[in-house]
Amino acid sequence: MPAILATKLGMSQRFLEDGSVARVTVLRAGPCPVTAIRSTERDGYEAVQLAFGETKESRLTKAEMGHLRQADAPPMRHLVEMRGFAGELKVGDSVTVDAFAVGERVKIAGVSKGKGFQGTIARHGFKRGPKTHGSHNVRGPGSIGAAATPSRVFKGMRMAGHGGAKRATQRGLSVVDVDPQENLLLVRGSVPGARGGLVEVRTDA
């Protein structure tokens, strides 16, 4: 069950053998050094820790560099644990796009695009009020609580605020092409996040 970290480069298209056009997202995936293995006996769960995104050593702490040196890994910006994907991997191994095959089903997780401040209609899908007969509640949220009791607004009320910028997972995607030389992974469909964003690619069982 392969898993890998990648950077979203953008969208493109690929002509398939049957003449149809596949809209694909291009990901620069790996190589990802294995920096730690979590086991049930020692940690209480099974997972593999992958590193991704080379950076300058001066941008990391001494603790982070010491952890990477134990795995003979260069300075890396991101460390992410993938649960249930340890398999036969060992510390010091490297995960590449070769672990994926054309036609394989994957799910991709990332942070969605931030939308800035949004009202309740755009953020939560509220319906607007009437525009006629002197109504002042055209795009307002409506009542958010009683005045006397409880004399406050409950926590968790759906109101206006910052939209997007949340973790999202897109399932049901399929691998269209794999380019080991350029470390590219072409996936049919759209992927959460903006260009240059970090995403996690896992097989979708």
Side-chain angles (χ1 to χ4, degrees), residues 89-111:
L89 293 174
K90 302 184 296 296
V91 175
D93 291 347
S94 183
V95 180
T96 65
V97 293
D98 290 325
F100 294 87
V102 175
E104 187 172 7
R105 305 280 287 185
V106 295
K107 59 182 179 181
I108 299 180
V111 178

Side-chain angles (χ1 to χ4, degrees), residues 97 177-186:
V97 293
D177 196 6
V178 178
D179 188 350
Q181 294 183 348
E182 298 293 334
N183 296 319
L184 296 180
L185 200 63
L186 274 63

Side-chain angles (χ1 to χ4, degrees), residues 132-144:
T132 57
H133 301 291
S135 172
H136 297 287
N137 185 27
V138 178
R139 292 180 67 91
S143 174
I144 58 174

Side-chain angles (χ1 to χ4, degrees), residues 162-181:
H162 187 85
K166 293 183 178 180
R167 181 178 173 86
T169 301
Q170 183 67 43
R171 307 192 65 170
L173 305 175
S174 61
V175 177
V176 175
D177 196 6
V178 178
D179 188 350
Q181 294 183 348

Side-chain angles (χ1 to χ4, degrees), residues 1-24:
M1 299 178 67
I4 199 170
L5 300 175
T7 299
K8 179 179 176 179
L9 299 183
M11 293 201 69
S12 182
Q13 61 184 17
R14 177 61 59 92
F15 287 92
L16 304 181
E17 295 180 356
D18 59 359
S20 61
V21 179
R23 278 72 178 178
V24 298

Side-chain angles (χ1 to χ4, degrees), residues 68-89:
L68 292 169
R69 288 195 185 101
Q70 290 180 349
D72 294 327
M76 292 284 185
R77 183 186 304 271
H78 305 286
L79 290 177
V80 178
E81 287 189 2
M82 304 283 197
R83 291 206 176 196
F85 289 92
E88 302 296 328
L89 293 174

